[in-house]
Amino acid sequence: QLILLDVDDFSAINEELGHRAADDVIRQFGKQLLQEFPSPHCLVSRLDGDEFAVLTVGNSDVFTLGPRATNIAVPRQTREGIMVSVTISAGIAAAPEHGHTASELMRHADIALGAAKASGPQRHVVYDPALGEAFKSRKGLEARMKQAIEDEGFELFYQPIISLRTMKPAGVEALLRLKQGAKDTPAVFVPVIEKLGLMPQLGAWIIQQAFRDSRRWPELRTSINLSPLQLENPALLDQIDFHRARFDVAPKSIGFEITEGVLLNKSATVHDNLQGLRDRGYVLALDDFGTGYSSLSYLSEFEIHRLKLDQSFVRGGRLIETRSATLIQGVIDICHKLNIDVVAEGIEEMEEAATLRQWGCDFAQGYQFGRPAPARTAAQNLVTLQNNAAAIVDYRTGEPVLGAV
Ligand code: C2E
Ligand code: MG
Ligand code: MG
């Protein structure tokens, strides 16, 4: 049997405790591994960095190996009062079921380790051919993403954002789409692109494209989603300045959407980028509020202009259920007291819009007002929405629903 082991989040340990302490973690980990898997029945070796391999011979049960490996306790490390708990993940492959050659076993243990890592810290996974399939399909998606970036295989769709005060369009959100393979959604492929390290490149293209398209509707605000990795890029502001000047767009016609992870990131580059965007007059929106931690303290700590209530917050009858309704109304009130306006996402029913409007919610976005569409179609839809509020129809039946608000 072959076990591959890897310290969880080793780069964070390195960063927080320094190289010396991190080396210490590795040394202690190695020592305990030798104790848990003693020779001559086991062979422990360090592969590189924080990765170890254990080869066991004889017929030990593969299913007990995982817990034995991941339960190895590396003492908690402290420095300046910071507690860092060190955990380990393991991937296991056994001969002959999972392969006959060393390289095959190595590859399969590595796939199992990848799966263990993906499922959280301190997990172990025994190789299974289905993992190989999942691995292949992920590799396939990765290959398609690389190709799409080379071939300009992406396009931006735009979805209207409606002012609940005037019931007219106030802006659009730019949403990334693949030209081919409509079934791949950005929620799936954006993380893949980030992992491949291609987000800065694609992000620059998104910014360029959104600035260019925004000239079709200059009186509306075009919102651009920024991935956390883009905000770590010291060249981000230069990119934005360049395209703003090139397409001669007013900063007030552009907004940027960030996620809460960005606000938790204490890096100076992220901070400077956010401040730079504010100083230039771009509207900053906190996206996906209601998922993740949704800490209300972000709202006072960071100067954001707009909060986007995630669709999970408003859908599924939450507006009617008393407790969640109270919560949403409370969030809207707090935001208004802090001068933050609120956008409700995922509005599929006119009643939802009507309720939120009553509660003072400022904007709404959702299929009820229009699905994401290519720039040309989106521009036409905006004109219709602008000129004729009666064009707000039930997106399923096509019936006008203006009377509902
Ligand atoms: P998001 O920024 O929260 O975008 C809103 C998502 O809700 C979009 O999904 C949109 O199509 C969907 N949506 C809008 N109205 C409704 C509705 O009434 N019902 C339902 N069920 N869904 C609705 P999409 O386009 O699949 O994007 C998913 C996520 O991918 C986005 O969430 C965003 O986090 C990310 N993403 C999309 N485009 C970009 C991009 O250009 N850059 C980056 N970094 N991330 C992007
Ligand atoms: Mg967004
Ligand atoms: Mg969102």
Side-chain angles (χ1 to χ4, degrees):
Q1 289 97 350
L2 175 67
I3 319 171
L4 286 183
L5 304 112
D6 187 283
V7 177
D8 294 326
D9 239 352
F10 188 65
S11 54
I13 296 174
N14 234 328
E15 243 165 63
E16 278 178 43
L17 301 174
H19 291 289
R20 275 275 226 32
D23 283 348
D24 224 39
V25 168
I26 296 289
R27 243 188 316 267
Q28 292 194 31
F29 176 32
K31 237 195 256 160
Q32 308 220 25
L33 266 181
L34 284 168
Q35 247 169 44
E36 180 62 40
F37 299 101
S39 56
H41 300 292
C42 306
L43 178 69
V44 175
S45 63
R46 180 173 174 190
L47 296 179
D48 74 332
D50 60 326
E51 204 170 272
F52 285 81
V54 177
L55 197 63
T56 67
V57 288
N59 47 356
S60 42
D61 176 5
V62 283
F63 291 95
T64 62
L65 286 174
R68 271 173 66 194
T70 55
N71 282 334
I72 288 177
V74 179
R76 285 169 165 249
Q77 304 293 313
T78 70
R79 186 169 110 158
E80 294 155 13
I82 311 172
M83 295 284 282
V84 179
S85 73
V86 180
T87 57
I88 284 131
S89 295
I92 301 156
E97 326 63 304
H98 304 143
H100 295 278
T101 63
S103 73
E104 218 175 354
L105 274 183
M106 196 66 187
R107 198 156 45 80
H108 289 166
D110 197 44
I111 289 172
L113 177 60
K117 289 250 166 212
S119 68
Q122 206 176 4
R123 302 290 171 89
H124 69 273
V125 168
V126 178
Y127 178 76
D128 182 296
L131 286 178
E133 286 308 311
F135 181 76
K136 266 192 223 135
S137 86
R138 200 178 71 233
K139 284 286 163 211
L141 184 58
E142 285 181 3
R144 264 184 295 142
M145 290 305 114
K146 283 187 197 153
Q147 195 63 44
I149 286 178
E150 259 176 44
D151 306 347
E152 295 238 351
F154 291 97
E155 64 188 318
L156 290 183
F157 274 28
Y158 295 89
Q159 184 179 33
I161 298 174
I162 300 291
S163 156
L164 286 175
R165 199 168 46 76
T166 63
M167 295 311 286
K168 300 208 170 206
V172 293
E173 176 173 7
L175 294 161
L176 190 61
R177 293 290 180 270
L178 270 175
K179 283 186 191 159
Q180 318 239 297
K183 66 179 182 355
D184 294 310
T185 74
V188 174
F189 66 68
V190 167
V192 172
I193 292 166
E194 291 187 332
K195 228 188 93 220
L196 290 171
L198 298 171
M199 201 59 212
Q201 191 184 340
L202 180 63
W205 178 85
I206 293 170
I207 289 167
Q208 167 194 297
Q209 208 60 21
F211 270 87
R212 169 182 290 157
D213 288 339
S214 77
R215 297 198 303 178
R216 292 172 181 265
W217 40 74
E219 69 292 351
L220 303 183
R221 185 173 281 120
T222 302
S223 281
I224 304 171
N225 289 287
L226 285 181
S227 120
L229 290 178
Q230 286 174 275
L231 281 146
E232 281 172 22
N233 180 0
L236 178 69
L237 292 171
D238 286 342
Q239 264 172 26
I240 291 172
D241 291 344
F242 175 77
H243 294 299
R244 195 206 69 73
R246 176 171 169 210
F247 297 115
D248 191 25
V249 172
K252 73 166 176 12
S253 304
I254 301 287
F256 291 99
E257 301 191 3
I258 58 172
T259 47
E260 65 179 15
V262 169
L263 298 181
L264 291 170
N265 188 324
K266 298 273 184 274
S267 102
T269 313
V270 172
H271 177 269
D272 293 349
N273 278 335
L274 289 176
Q275 193 55 47
L277 291 173
R278 265 184 221 117
D279 293 344
R280 285 163 174 72
Y282 296 109
V283 161
L284 289 187
L286 179 59
D287 207 351
D288 302 337
F289 194 82
T291 64
Y293 295 112
S294 310
S295 161
L296 288 173
S297 68
Y298 302 142
L299 304 184
S300 63
E301 242 174 272
F302 306 97
E303 230 179 281
I304 54 157
H305 308 99
R306 178 163 294 182
L307 187 88
K308 297 193 81 174
L309 292 175
D310 189 71
Q311 45 175 288
S312 63
F313 222 33
V314 292
R315 295 254 300 281
R318 294 237 158 71
L319 299 177
I320 303 160
E321 202 268 309
T322 332
R323 292 167 70 89
S324 53
T326 308
L327 188 66
I328 296 168
Q329 290 176 69
V331 170
I332 294 173
D333 287 345
I334 291 173
C335 284
H336 285 168
K337 292 204 168 94
L338 294 168
N339 249 330
I340 295 170
D341 33 61
V342 182
V343 187
E345 287 190 283
I347 299 304
E348 294 189 358
E349 310 286 341
M350 210 51 176
E351 294 93 274
E352 293 166 349
T355 305
L356 286 156
R357 186 183 203 224
Q358 226 176 350
W359 293 346
C361 182
D362 306 274
F363 302 98
Q365 178 182 353
Y367 296 165
Q368 177 56 68
F369 302 108
R371 286 178 180 261
R376 245 155 69 85
T377 320
Q380 290 163 1
N381 294 347
L382 287 167
V383 171
T384 321
L385 279 171
Q386 176 68 33
N387 292 343
N388 181 8
I392 298 177
V393 294
D394 186 307
Y395 77 93
R396 278 164 296 221
T397 63
E399 298 289 319
V401 285
L402 182 66
V405 173

